Amino acid sequence: MSTATVERPPAAEPARRGRRRLLGALSGIAQVWLLVLLVIAWELVTRAVDDEFFPPPSAILPALRDMWFSGPAGDLFLTEKARADFGPSFRNLFLGWGLAGVIGVAGGVLIGRSRALGHLVEPVLHFLRSVPPPTLIPFLLALLDLGTQMQVATIVFGVVWPVLLNTIDGVRSVDRLQLETARVFGITGWLRMRRVILPSAAPKIFAGLRVSLGFALILMVISELVGAGQGIGAHILLAQQAFEIPQMWGGIVLLGVLGCLFNLVFALVERRALAWHDNARRND
Amino acid sequence: MSENMLEIDGLTHSYGDHTVLEKMSLRVPRGELVSIVGPSGCGKSTLLRCIAGLVRPTGGRVVLDGTAIDGVPDELAVVFQDYSRSLLPWLTVRDNVALPLRRRGGSRAERRAAAEEALTSVGLDGAGRKYPWQLSGGMQQRVSIARALAYRPSLLLMDEPFGSVDAQTREDLEDLVLRVHRDEGMTILLVTHDIDESVYVGDRVVVLGRDPGGVRAELPVHLPAPRDQTTTRAHPDFVSLRTEVSTLVRGAAAPTKTVVHE
């Protein structure tokens, strides 16, 4: 049948797309310049003030490089200290975040798909979510000793909520027509979960995971500041106690950069995984 | 077993105080294409949802192939009006068509082949790797039809399937339904609010009325085959039939109670 050729898929006009790309590039350049200007201002102000507690970036960056990034090229320029500091931090961060993600999604699916269970546990969830996670550190310390277990537990408890609540919301707000379509065509059970419910909830689940990643970084640092002895947070504390102010600032700057980097990588993964979502909405 | 594919007896459905369908009865012989037409609010969609097992009627029963419907029947497929929500945007066109075939077993390759075959039969060969949102509305509705065909139902329900496409596409899709009906010989129930469409595609037109909803008239359609958008619509029988249906629908729309409609 050849009538299908009459119907043409909607295509964005190339002129408009070109202009959008140009605007995007311009705003990107503006963003970079603002950052450069701020760093220059930081340098000038700290030099003018000349305070030991506020070293200029020109003192922080060499300290940063000497501490962590002056290693052999074969080790990606990482120093011995870098591996000792980053290793435990990243392990705790991703272990905690990963566990929270798995628990959050699995629990969210269970609670979201069962009205009775949701009704039962929701007040408890809202209470637990409202407990500021760092307040649990003393309790977890008593329970689990200093170290990885306590740190991971802190992160998991602190960041599981956005994933859990967003998953509950996501699996509950699956389009009614999509569910009816699944029913009519006999798509049930695990197949329905995997092919209909989870993909439909994915945008909300991803949003929860993204918020969690930010929290996880914060909790990672806090748990290390409590006296873990290792990790980037511990380094900041030790540098401060040793009065190595540029080294302490180096840790702070590093954490800021890491936060941005994680966010960026996550955004890229999210955009790939949810390409259908953006496109489907744009063409609506 | 009778030759009726579908037997509806005393079907009644209410949403709260509002009775949408009251003691409605209908027989549909195997292989027939029945158009169901009526004013808005006559319970056309509710009727279809009761047959599909998506709604449990408050009274009466629907018997499909000799078995009273309780839940969604296996041998039934539905083409919904809102294709953009009924197709899953995260799956390719081919996977959308192949997904319902999972319960029928068979290898992945077999399911894909069946999906491609169905897509070809609706004029969408080569579109399998695209996503639904990359296609025009008419093409998306073709995908919905292909999904229903690949499922090989003995009863196909269509709920105002061409309500949201433009006139030219609508005519193409009407002809597609006629061809599918001729080639596959399945029983089709097509709900529409378009009077011309109901006459053009139907072997029989069932006119529903509202307040309360029920069958007002059943008119057999005897038009020369094959039907054609230009000649059939100009045929004197078509013209007189569409006038008759139109009069019936208007009469059915006149409320027997005082009801305010927008």
Side-chain angles (χ1 to χ4, degrees), chain A residues 19-47:
Chain A
R19 218 181 66 186
R20 208 162 50 198
R21 202 169 289 167
L22 183 70
L23 281 176
L26 280 177
S27 87
I29 292 169
Q31 281 175 333
V32 172
W33 271 104
L34 182 63
L35 193 68
V36 170
L37 277 177
L38 281 175
V39 173
I40 291 172
W42 183 10
E43 177 77 29
L44 292 177
V45 170
T46 43
R47 276 189 194 209

PDB file of all heavy atoms in Angstrom, chain A residues 19-47:
ATOM      1  N   ARG A  19      19.164  28.039  14.578  1.00  0.00           N
ATOM      2  CA  ARG A  19      19.164  29.193  15.467  1.00  0.00           C
ATOM      3  C   ARG A  19      19.212  28.749  16.927  1.00  0.00           C
ATOM      4  O   ARG A  19      19.891  29.359  17.756  1.00  0.00           O
ATOM      5  CB  ARG A  19      17.911  30.036  15.214  1.00  0.00           C
ATOM      6  CG  ARG A  19      18.217  31.512  15.318  1.00  0.00           C
ATOM      7  CD  ARG A  19      16.965  32.336  15.092  1.00  0.00           C
ATOM      8  NE  ARG A  19      15.994  32.122  16.149  1.00  0.00           N
ATOM      9  CZ  ARG A  19      14.769  32.643  16.131  1.00  0.00           C
ATOM     10  NH1 ARG A  19      14.379  33.365  15.100  1.00  0.00           N
ATOM     11  NH2 ARG A  19      13.933  32.428  17.112  1.00  0.00           N
ATOM     12  N   ARG A  20      18.491  27.641  17.197  1.00  0.00           N
ATOM     13  CA  ARG A  20      18.489  27.149  18.568  1.00  0.00           C
ATOM     14  C   ARG A  20      19.892  26.717  18.979  1.00  0.00           C
ATOM     15  O   ARG A  20      20.345  26.960  20.082  1.00  0.00           O
ATOM     16  CB  ARG A  20      17.499  25.981  18.688  1.00  0.00           C
ATOM     17  CG  ARG A  20      16.927  25.847  20.068  1.00  0.00           C
ATOM     18  CD  ARG A  20      15.672  25.021  20.074  1.00  0.00           C
ATOM     19  NE  ARG A  20      15.845  23.760  19.369  1.00  0.00           N
ATOM     20  CZ  ARG A  20      14.823  23.027  18.933  1.00  0.00           C
ATOM     21  NH1 ARG A  20      13.609  23.436  19.109  1.00  0.00           N
ATOM     22  NH2 ARG A  20      15.026  21.897  18.310  1.00  0.00           N
ATOM     23  N   ARG A  21      20.590  26.078  18.036  1.00  0.00           N
ATOM     24  CA  ARG A  21      21.934  25.606  18.337  1.00  0.00           C
ATOM     25  C   ARG A  21      22.864  26.791  18.598  1.00  0.00           C
ATOM     26  O   ARG A  21      23.686  26.771  19.501  1.00  0.00           O
ATOM     27  CB  ARG A  21      22.443  24.754  17.159  1.00  0.00           C
ATOM     28  CG  ARG A  21      23.556  23.816  17.562  1.00  0.00           C
ATOM     29  CD  ARG A  21      23.844  22.820  16.455  1.00  0.00           C
ATOM     30  NE  ARG A  21      22.777  21.829  16.307  1.00  0.00           N
ATOM     31  CZ  ARG A  21      22.680  21.013  15.249  1.00  0.00           C
ATOM     32  NH1 ARG A  21      23.547  21.110  14.258  1.00  0.00           N
ATOM     33  NH2 ARG A  21      21.719  20.130  15.192  1.00  0.00           N
ATOM     34  N   LEU A  22      22.723  27.861  17.799  1.00  0.00           N
ATOM     35  CA  LEU A  22      23.561  29.042  17.954  1.00  0.00           C
ATOM     36  C   LEU A  22      23.333  29.682  19.322  1.00  0.00           C
ATOM     37  O   LEU A  22      24.285  30.014  20.034  1.00  0.00           O
ATOM     38  CB  LEU A  22      23.232  30.048  16.840  1.00  0.00           C
ATOM     39  CG  LEU A  22      24.089  31.315  16.835  1.00  0.00           C
ATOM     40  CD1 LEU A  22      25.513  30.980  16.417  1.00  0.00           C
ATOM     41  CD2 LEU A  22      23.494  32.357  15.898  1.00  0.00           C
ATOM     42  N   LEU A  23      22.063  29.821  19.695  1.00  0.00           N
ATOM     43  CA  LEU A  23      21.733  30.400  20.998  1.00  0.00           C
ATOM     44  C   LEU A  23      22.340  29.562  22.116  1.00  0.00           C
ATOM     45  O   LEU A  23      22.881  30.096  23.080  1.00  0.00           O
ATOM     46  CB  LEU A  23      20.214  30.480  21.170  1.00  0.00           C
ATOM     47  CG  LEU A  23      19.533  31.655  20.463  1.00  0.00           C
ATOM     48  CD1 LEU A  23      18.027  31.565  20.638  1.00  0.00           C
ATOM     49  CD2 LEU A  23      20.058  32.979  21.007  1.00  0.00           C
ATOM     50  N   GLY A  24      22.266  28.227  21.952  1.00  0.00           N
ATOM     51  CA  GLY A  24      22.825  27.320  22.948  1.00  0.00           C
ATOM     52  C   GLY A  24      24.315  27.538  23.107  1.00  0.00           C
ATOM     53  O   GLY A  24      24.840  27.651  24.216  1.00  0.00           O
ATOM     54  N   ALA A  25      25.019  27.669  21.975  1.00  0.00           N
ATOM     55  CA  ALA A  25      26.465  27.862  21.998  1.00  0.00           C
ATOM     56  C   ALA A  25      26.803  29.187  22.677  1.00  0.00           C
ATOM     57  O   ALA A  25      27.707  29.251  23.515  1.00  0.00           O
ATOM     58  CB  ALA A  25      27.013  27.846  20.571  1.00  0.00           C
ATOM     59  N   LEU A  26      26.060  30.236  22.342  1.00  0.00           N
ATOM     60  CA  LEU A  26      26.312  31.553  22.934  1.00  0.00           C
ATOM     61  C   LEU A  26      26.148  31.517  24.448  1.00  0.00           C
ATOM     62  O   LEU A  26      26.985  32.045  25.185  1.00  0.00           O
ATOM     63  CB  LEU A  26      25.358  32.594  22.335  1.00  0.00           C
ATOM     64  CG  LEU A  26      25.760  33.128  20.962  1.00  0.00           C
ATOM     65  CD1 LEU A  26      24.713  34.098  20.444  1.00  0.00           C
ATOM     66  CD2 LEU A  26      27.124  33.803  21.045  1.00  0.00           C
ATOM     67  N   SER A  27      25.068  30.881  24.902  1.00  0.00           N
ATOM     68  CA  SER A  27      24.840  30.856  26.345  1.00  0.00           C
ATOM     69  C   SER A  27      25.908  30.003  27.023  1.00  0.00           C
ATOM     70  O   SER A  27      26.309  30.266  28.150  1.00  0.00           O
ATOM     71  CB  SER A  27      23.431  30.366  26.659  1.00  0.00           C
ATOM     72  OG  SER A  27      23.399  28.971  26.748  1.00  0.00           O
ATOM     73  N   GLY A  28      26.419  28.982  26.319  1.00  0.00           N
ATOM     74  CA  GLY A  28      27.511  28.166  26.857  1.00  0.00           C
ATOM     75  C   GLY A  28      28.766  29.001  27.059  1.00  0.00           C
ATOM     76  O   GLY A  28      29.406  28.949  28.112  1.00  0.00           O
ATOM     77  N   ILE A  29      29.080  29.821  26.036  1.00  0.00           N
ATOM     78  CA  ILE A  29      30.261  30.688  26.131  1.00  0.00           C
ATOM     79  C   ILE A  29      30.105  31.671  27.279  1.00  0.00           C
ATOM     80  O   ILE A  29      31.028  31.891  28.074  1.00  0.00           O
ATOM     81  CB  ILE A  29      30.473  31.442  24.792  1.00  0.00           C
ATOM     82  CG1 ILE A  29      30.873  30.444  23.706  1.00  0.00           C
ATOM     83  CG2 ILE A  29      31.529  32.527  24.941  1.00  0.00           C
ATOM     84  CD1 ILE A  29      30.841  31.013  22.306  1.00  0.00           C
ATOM     85  N   ALA A  30      28.897  32.234  27.418  1.00  0.00           N
ATOM     86  CA  ALA A  30      28.636  33.193  28.493  1.00  0.00           C
ATOM     87  C   ALA A  30      28.854  32.543  29.856  1.00  0.00           C
ATOM     88  O   ALA A  30      29.449  33.133  30.755  1.00  0.00           O
ATOM     89  CB  ALA A  30      27.210  33.727  28.382  1.00  0.00           C
ATOM     90  N   GLN A  31      28.399  31.261  29.973  1.00  0.00           N
ATOM     91  CA  GLN A  31      28.566  30.557  31.244  1.00  0.00           C
ATOM     92  C   GLN A  31      30.038  30.405  31.598  1.00  0.00           C
ATOM     93  O   GLN A  31      30.452  30.646  32.724  1.00  0.00           O
ATOM     94  CB  GLN A  31      27.918  29.167  31.163  1.00  0.00           C
ATOM     95  CG  GLN A  31      26.420  29.193  31.321  1.00  0.00           C
ATOM     96  CD  GLN A  31      25.821  27.815  31.117  1.00  0.00           C
ATOM     97  OE1 GLN A  31      26.378  26.975  30.418  1.00  0.00           O
ATOM     98  NE2 GLN A  31      24.683  27.572  31.726  1.00  0.00           N
ATOM     99  N   VAL A  32      30.851  29.991  30.609  1.00  0.00           N
ATOM    100  CA  VAL A  32      32.280  29.781  30.849  1.00  0.00           C
ATOM    101  C   VAL A  32      32.931  31.101  31.259  1.00  0.00           C
ATOM    102  O   VAL A  32      33.720  31.152  32.210  1.00  0.00           O
ATOM    103  CB  VAL A  32      32.961  29.207  29.591  1.00  0.00           C
ATOM    104  CG1 VAL A  32      34.471  29.181  29.772  1.00  0.00           C
ATOM    105  CG2 VAL A  32      32.445  27.814  29.306  1.00  0.00           C
ATOM    106  N   TRP A  33      32.566  32.177  30.562  1.00  0.00           N
ATOM    107  CA  TRP A  33      33.172  33.472  30.880  1.00  0.00           C
ATOM    108  C   TRP A  33      32.825  33.948  32.277  1.00  0.00           C
ATOM    109  O   TRP A  33      33.639  34.522  32.980  1.00  0.00           O
ATOM    110  CB  TRP A  33      32.782  34.520  29.839  1.00  0.00           C
ATOM    111  CG  TRP A  33      33.764  34.504  28.727  1.00  0.00           C
ATOM    112  CD1 TRP A  33      33.592  33.974  27.496  1.00  0.00           C
ATOM    113  CD2 TRP A  33      35.105  35.002  28.774  1.00  0.00           C
ATOM    114  NE1 TRP A  33      34.739  34.101  26.755  1.00  0.00           N
ATOM    115  CE2 TRP A  33      35.692  34.734  27.523  1.00  0.00           C
ATOM    116  CE3 TRP A  33      35.860  35.628  29.759  1.00  0.00           C
ATOM    117  CZ2 TRP A  33      37.001  35.070  27.217  1.00  0.00           C
ATOM    118  CZ3 TRP A  33      37.167  35.979  29.464  1.00  0.00           C
ATOM    119  CH2 TRP A  33      37.744  35.703  28.210  1.00  0.00           C
ATOM    120  N   LEU A  34      31.593  33.708  32.689  1.00  0.00           N
ATOM    121  CA  LEU A  34      31.198  34.113  34.041  1.00  0.00           C
ATOM    122  C   LEU A  34      32.063  33.386  35.062  1.00  0.00           C
ATOM    123  O   LEU A  34      32.552  33.982  36.023  1.00  0.00           O
ATOM    124  CB  LEU A  34      29.719  33.791  34.269  1.00  0.00           C
ATOM    125  CG  LEU A  34      29.198  34.228  35.644  1.00  0.00           C
ATOM    126  CD1 LEU A  34      29.280  35.736  35.788  1.00  0.00           C
ATOM    127  CD2 LEU A  34      27.773  33.756  35.867  1.00  0.00           C
ATOM    128  N   LEU A  35      32.301  32.106  34.817  1.00  0.00           N
ATOM    129  CA  LEU A  35      33.108  31.315  35.731  1.00  0.00           C
ATOM    130  C   LEU A  35      34.527  31.879  35.798  1.00  0.00           C
ATOM    131  O   LEU A  35      35.087  32.078  36.885  1.00  0.00           O
ATOM    132  CB  LEU A  35      33.129  29.860  35.241  1.00  0.00           C
ATOM    133  CG  LEU A  35      33.666  28.830  36.231  1.00  0.00           C
ATOM    134  CD1 LEU A  35      32.705  28.686  37.399  1.00  0.00           C
ATOM    135  CD2 LEU A  35      33.853  27.480  35.537  1.00  0.00           C
ATOM    136  N   VAL A  36      35.095  32.178  34.616  1.00  0.00           N
ATOM    137  CA  VAL A  36      36.461  32.723  34.559  1.00  0.00           C
ATOM    138  C   VAL A  36      36.532  34.041  35.325  1.00  0.00           C
ATOM    139  O   VAL A  36      37.439  34.267  36.136  1.00  0.00           O
ATOM    140  CB  VAL A  36      36.893  32.923  33.087  1.00  0.00           C
ATOM    141  CG1 VAL A  36      38.204  33.704  33.018  1.00  0.00           C
ATOM    142  CG2 VAL A  36      37.035  31.576  32.391  1.00  0.00           C
ATOM    143  N   LEU A  37      35.522  34.891  35.104  1.00  0.00           N
ATOM    144  CA  LEU A  37      35.497  36.198  35.785  1.00  0.00           C
ATOM    145  C   LEU A  37      35.454  36.030  37.304  1.00  0.00           C
ATOM    146  O   LEU A  37      36.147  36.737  38.032  1.00  0.00           O
ATOM    147  CB  LEU A  37      34.267  36.990  35.325  1.00  0.00           C
ATOM    148  CG  LEU A  37      34.440  37.736  33.996  1.00  0.00           C
ATOM    149  CD1 LEU A  37      33.144  38.418  33.601  1.00  0.00           C
ATOM    150  CD2 LEU A  37      35.566  38.751  34.102  1.00  0.00           C
ATOM    151  N   LEU A  38      34.634  35.068  37.753  1.00  0.00           N
ATOM    152  CA  LEU A  38      34.512  34.854  39.189  1.00  0.00           C
ATOM    153  C   LEU A  38      35.835  34.404  39.793  1.00  0.00           C
ATOM    154  O   LEU A  38      36.220  34.851  40.876  1.00  0.00           O
ATOM    155  CB  LEU A  38      33.420  33.826  39.484  1.00  0.00           C
ATOM    156  CG  LEU A  38      31.987  34.357  39.421  1.00  0.00           C
ATOM    157  CD1 LEU A  38      30.989  33.236  39.612  1.00  0.00           C
ATOM    158  CD2 LEU A  38      31.785  35.439  40.484  1.00  0.00           C
ATOM    159  N   VAL A  39      36.536  33.505  39.074  1.00  0.00           N
ATOM    160  CA  VAL A  39      37.828  33.024  39.587  1.00  0.00           C
ATOM    161  C   VAL A  39      38.816  34.188  39.657  1.00  0.00           C
ATOM    162  O   VAL A  39      39.561  34.337  40.646  1.00  0.00           O
ATOM    163  CB  VAL A  39      38.377  31.872  38.713  1.00  0.00           C
ATOM    164  CG1 VAL A  39      39.792  31.511  39.148  1.00  0.00           C
ATOM    165  CG2 VAL A  39      37.467  30.662  38.808  1.00  0.00           C
ATOM    166  N   ILE A  40      38.814  35.056  38.624  1.00  0.00           N
ATOM    167  CA  ILE A  40      39.708  36.216  38.631  1.00  0.00           C
ATOM    168  C   ILE A  40      39.380  37.135  39.817  1.00  0.00           C
ATOM    169  O   ILE A  40      40.266  37.580  40.555  1.00  0.00           O
ATOM    170  CB  ILE A  40      39.602  36.992  37.298  1.00  0.00           C
ATOM    171  CG1 ILE A  40      40.197  36.137  36.163  1.00  0.00           C
ATOM    172  CG2 ILE A  40      40.342  38.330  37.383  1.00  0.00           C
ATOM    173  CD1 ILE A  40      39.974  36.708  34.776  1.00  0.00           C
ATOM    174  N   ALA A  41      38.075  37.352  40.022  1.00  0.00           N
ATOM    175  CA  ALA A  41      37.653  38.211  41.140  1.00  0.00           C
ATOM    176  C   ALA A  41      38.107  37.607  42.465  1.00  0.00           C
ATOM    177  O   ALA A  41      38.615  38.312  43.349  1.00  0.00           O
ATOM    178  CB  ALA A  41      36.144  38.378  41.121  1.00  0.00           C
ATOM    179  N   TRP A  42      37.948  36.285  42.571  1.00  0.00           N
ATOM    180  CA  TRP A  42      38.367  35.557  43.775  1.00  0.00           C
ATOM    181  C   TRP A  42      39.860  35.813  44.030  1.00  0.00           C
ATOM    182  O   TRP A  42      40.276  36.162  45.128  1.00  0.00           O
ATOM    183  CB  TRP A  42      38.061  34.073  43.558  1.00  0.00           C
ATOM    184  CG  TRP A  42      38.354  33.164  44.718  1.00  0.00           C
ATOM    185  CD1 TRP A  42      38.680  33.524  45.992  1.00  0.00           C
ATOM    186  CD2 TRP A  42      38.358  31.743  44.693  1.00  0.00           C
ATOM    187  NE1 TRP A  42      38.876  32.434  46.766  1.00  0.00           N
ATOM    188  CE2 TRP A  42      38.680  31.303  45.999  1.00  0.00           C
ATOM    189  CE3 TRP A  42      38.102  30.787  43.708  1.00  0.00           C
ATOM    190  CZ2 TRP A  42      38.770  29.946  46.328  1.00  0.00           C
ATOM    191  CZ3 TRP A  42      38.187  29.443  44.040  1.00  0.00           C
ATOM    192  CH2 TRP A  42      38.513  29.025  45.335  1.00  0.00           C
ATOM    193  N   GLU A  43      40.666  35.658  42.973  1.00  0.00           N
ATOM    194  CA  GLU A  43      42.106  35.845  43.062  1.00  0.00           C
ATOM    195  C   GLU A  43      42.423  37.272  43.548  1.00  0.00           C
ATOM    196  O   GLU A  43      43.191  37.480  44.491  1.00  0.00           O
ATOM    197  CB  GLU A  43      42.739  35.601  41.678  1.00  0.00           C
ATOM    198  CG  GLU A  43      44.242  35.826  41.596  1.00  0.00           C
ATOM    199  CD  GLU A  43      45.029  34.676  42.209  1.00  0.00           C
ATOM    200  OE1 GLU A  43      44.511  33.550  42.180  1.00  0.00           O
ATOM    201  OE2 GLU A  43      46.145  34.910  42.722  1.00  0.00           O
ATOM    202  N   LEU A  44      41.802  38.280  42.896  1.00  0.00           N
ATOM    203  CA  LEU A  44      42.095  39.679  43.218  1.00  0.00           C
ATOM    204  C   LEU A  44      41.694  40.005  44.654  1.00  0.00           C
ATOM    205  O   LEU A  44      42.466  40.615  45.403  1.00  0.00           O
ATOM    206  CB  LEU A  44      41.353  40.597  42.237  1.00  0.00           C
ATOM    207  CG  LEU A  44      41.861  40.525  40.788  1.00  0.00           C
ATOM    208  CD1 LEU A  44      41.024  41.417  39.875  1.00  0.00           C
ATOM    209  CD2 LEU A  44      43.344  40.922  40.714  1.00  0.00           C
ATOM    210  N   VAL A  45      40.496  39.580  45.043  1.00  0.00           N
ATOM    211  CA  VAL A  45      40.008  39.900  46.391  1.00  0.00           C
ATOM    212  C   VAL A  45      40.881  39.252  47.452  1.00  0.00           C
ATOM    213  O   VAL A  45      41.299  39.900  48.410  1.00  0.00           O
ATOM    214  CB  VAL A  45      38.530  39.462  46.545  1.00  0.00           C
ATOM    215  CG1 VAL A  45      38.104  39.568  48.004  1.00  0.00           C
ATOM    216  CG2 VAL A  45      37.635  40.304  45.655  1.00  0.00           C
ATOM    217  N   THR A  46      41.196  37.959  47.272  1.00  0.00           N
ATOM    218  CA  THR A  46      41.987  37.270  48.295  1.00  0.00           C
ATOM    219  C   THR A  46      43.392  37.857  48.393  1.00  0.00           C
ATOM    220  O   THR A  46      43.975  37.925  49.472  1.00  0.00           O
ATOM    221  CB  THR A  46      42.089  35.761  48.014  1.00  0.00           C
ATOM    222  OG1 THR A  46      42.328  35.571  46.627  1.00  0.00           O
ATOM    223  CG2 THR A  46      40.813  35.049  48.420  1.00  0.00           C
ATOM    224  N   ARG A  47      43.953  38.295  47.253  1.00  0.00           N
ATOM    225  CA  ARG A  47      45.262  38.936  47.293  1.00  0.00           C
ATOM    226  C   ARG A  47      45.194  40.259  48.029  1.00  0.00           C
ATOM    227  O   ARG A  47      46.073  40.583  48.838  1.00  0.00           O
ATOM    228  CB  ARG A  47      45.772  39.193  45.873  1.00  0.00           C
ATOM    229  CG  ARG A  47      46.454  37.978  45.295  1.00  0.00           C
ATOM    230  CD  ARG A  47      47.116  38.329  44.007  1.00  0.00           C
ATOM    231  NE  ARG A  47      47.471  37.120  43.310  1.00  0.00           N
ATOM    232  CZ  ARG A  47      48.499  37.052  42.494  1.00  0.00           C
ATOM    233  NH1 ARG A  47      49.217  38.123  42.242  1.00  0.00           N
ATOM    234  NH2 ARG A  47      48.778  35.912  41.895  1.00  0.00           N
TER     235      ARG A  47
END
